[in-house]
Amino acid sequence: MKNVKYTNVKGIVLTPQKTYYHGAGWFTPKQEKAYDEFSKALEANVTLNSEHSYVPLEHQYKNIRVDEHPEYLHDKEWAIATFNGDLVGIKTSDIAMFCYLPTEEDIGCGMEIGYAKALGKYVVLVIPDEEYGKPINLMSFGGADLVLKMSKLADFDFNKPEFNFYNGAVY
């Protein structure tokens, strides 16, 4: 990756960084594996600011994770607060980034993709290499500005956004 670098007032060379919304399903072992790979690639990308980005699992209302406390799935206060917190995360991030598994699509990510697109955010779908090319939902396809293979994420220069079409089929 060829990055443009800037020097700050102290003479330190910096690469401009973007914040991102970390959208991903994490409900099955396959989604968990992809989530971990996605997180590592995001953190390795020098054009992204992981420290100031929004990771929904780190912003669950009252720090209650439903994978550890499924009884909160019936708690309306928890649900609406977590939902609205995620919308704030999308609104305040530069890029809406989604770990997308064609064989295990997450309906929550689908809603978030549409919301981010409606806000005019740059929407990126990142697909694990072994799933890249498999059919994806038409609405997710249409909501994406860029679709990347997971292996390309760590080196992509987000200071030079581009558009591309997904190479797989849609349904």
Side-chain angles (χ1 to χ4, degrees):
M1 168 174 49
K2 185 177 180 183
N3 286 312
V4 176
K5 299 191 186 277
Y6 298 94
T7 305
N8 71 6
V9 292
K10 294 181 180 179
I12 299 171
V13 177
L14 304 171
T15 298
Q17 294 183 316
K18 307 281 188 206
T19 60
Y20 57 86
Y21 178 81
H22 183 288
W26 41 271
F27 302 100
T28 69
K30 191 175 191 178
Q31 288 175 342
E32 286 178 11
K33 179 181 179 284
Y35 182 98
D36 291 342
E37 188 178 346
F38 181 59
S39 298
K40 288 175 186 168
L42 289 168
E43 289 178 19
N45 189 303
V46 298
T47 63
L48 296 174
N49 184 330
S50 293
E51 182 180 353
H52 295 105
S53 290
Y54 191 93
V55 180
L57 277 178
E58 295 172 2
H59 292 89
Q60 301 292 288
Y61 183 62
K62 295 185 179 179
N63 294 315
I64 298 169
R65 288 183 46 159
V66 293
D67 56 335
E68 297 168 358
H69 298 281
E71 66 275 14
Y72 278 90
L73 288 170
H74 300 284
D75 184 296
K76 288 180 178 39
E77 177 185 350
W78 178 90
I80 197 66
T82 298
F83 173 84
N84 282 310
D86 288 356
L87 296 186
V88 168
I90 294 170
K91 287 180 212 177
T92 59
S93 297
D94 297 319
I95 301 168
M97 198 86 69
F98 297 92
C99 182
Y100 189 90
L101 280 74
T103 60
E104 290 191 17
E105 293 172 316
D106 180 75
I107 194 164
C109 283
M111 181 276 167
E112 293 167 336
I113 290 166
Y115 184 74
K117 187 72 168 181
L119 290 177
K121 297 292 179 177
Y122 185 57
V123 178
V124 179
L125 301 185
V126 179
I127 299 177
D129 290 19
E130 64 275 10
E131 295 224 1
Y132 193 90
K134 293 182 179 177
I136 67 173
N137 185 281
L138 171 64
M139 295 301 143
S140 298
F141 167 84
D145 295 303
L146 176 69
V147 182
L148 288 176
K149 285 184 177 181
M150 187 80 72
S151 60
K152 304 288 185 191
L153 177 57
D155 294 322
F156 187 83
D157 187 347
F158 286 97
N159 291 308
K160 298 177 182 175
E162 60 185 55
F163 174 85
N164 78 357
F165 283 107
Y166 178 57
N167 291 326
V170 299
Y171 66 88

